[in-house]
Amino acid sequence: MTTDDIAFPSNVGTGKTFAEPIPAALLDAPLEYILVEHVRQRSLCAAFRRFTQQGYVDREEADAVVRYLRHDVDLHHRDEEEDLFPSLLRRVPLEDNLEATLARLIEDHCHSRTMIEAISKVLAKRTGNARVRLGAGARKLLLAYATSEHHHLAAENGIVLAIARVRLTKGDLKAISATMKDRHGVAA
């Protein structure tokens, strides 16, 4: 199953923006699911750039960002670190030299977690109005996250997912799908 095979009901998000959920059925195709999650993350980065330009975030959107960062991004990192990356390391020959790349991506995740906590604190602040005003430090933080994440996603899409499509077996993908479904609370 791929994203082209999914019929999205009108009341279910397509995963085209960070706030729209990915249909659970796509967990049957874990590489596609991860790719759609990357689209959502790129959407978040675009939103961060917009926030920095306008100098504020509406309260409702700020709350959506915090929920997404704390829940969905955390699940995504676990999907990669606990399932995709170890499965790839079992399948790739030494000449693919993937171990160093995966180690760097895991370091990126650690750095991202630190930035996510700082961003969440900024966006979770409750003020008297319906907007979260962004000072110079907050703007710099959001832009730094967006820039870092764009580089990170380019490596994951261009290297990791490309190799995964070649190296992982149907059995590997089925096992990854099962553990991702369990992690996401979806019946197998």
Side-chain angles (χ1 to χ4, degrees):
M1 178 177 292
T2 68
T3 52
D4 295 333
D5 300 326
I6 301 287
F8 294 102
S10 61
N11 64 341
V12 175
T14 59
K16 292 182 181 174
T17 71
F18 75 88
E20 294 182 31
I22 302 171
L26 199 54
L27 285 165
D28 289 332
L31 299 181
E32 291 289 328
Y33 189 95
I34 289 169
L35 185 62
V36 171
E37 181 58 43
H38 289 173
V39 171
R40 293 174 76 205
Q41 290 175 12
R42 285 185 178 275
S43 168
L44 177 69
C45 293
F48 281 2
R49 287 187 175 90
R50 178 173 48 85
F51 299 159
T52 62
Q53 289 174 348
Q54 65 193 25
Y56 66 88
V57 184
D58 288 325
R59 173 83 271 141
E60 186 176 314
E61 196 165 18
D63 291 344
V65 167
V66 171
R67 277 191 307 275
Y68 175 74
L69 288 172
R70 289 186 173 162
H71 182 263
D72 295 37
V73 172
D74 180 61
L75 280 176
H76 173 69
H77 288 170
R78 291 184 59 207
D79 289 343
E80 291 178 339
E81 292 175 13
E82 296 175 23
D83 292 314
L84 178 62
F85 296 173
S87 295
L88 268 173
L89 286 175
R90 285 190 295 275
R91 294 290 179 204
V92 297
L94 290 176
E95 64 264 16
D96 280 0
N97 196 23
L98 194 59
E99 195 168 322
T101 299
L102 296 180
R104 182 179 60 83
L105 293 173
I106 291 170
E107 285 178 26
D108 288 353
H109 288 173
C110 291
H111 180 66
S112 174
R113 286 180 188 104
T114 301
M115 293 177 81
I116 284 170
E117 280 310 307
I119 291 167
S120 294
K121 285 179 185 175
V122 167
L123 296 182
K125 286 183 183 174
R126 298 291 174 186
T127 58
N129 61 32
R131 292 182 172 171
V132 177
R133 296 267 173 219
L134 301 174
R139 289 179 187 182
K140 184 176 178 180
L141 176 63
L142 293 177
L143 285 177
Y145 180 89
T147 300
S148 174
E149 197 63 21
H150 269 289
H151 292 294
H152 178 83
L153 293 171
E156 286 187 343
N157 291 340
I159 299 169
V160 176
L161 290 178
I163 292 173
R165 291 186 193 289
V166 173
R167 301 290 186 198
L168 294 179
T169 67
K170 287 182 182 180
D172 294 331
L173 295 172
K174 188 174 181 180
I176 291 170
S177 173
T179 56
M180 284 176 61
K181 284 178 179 181
D182 184 57
R183 182 176 303 112
H184 289 257
V186 174

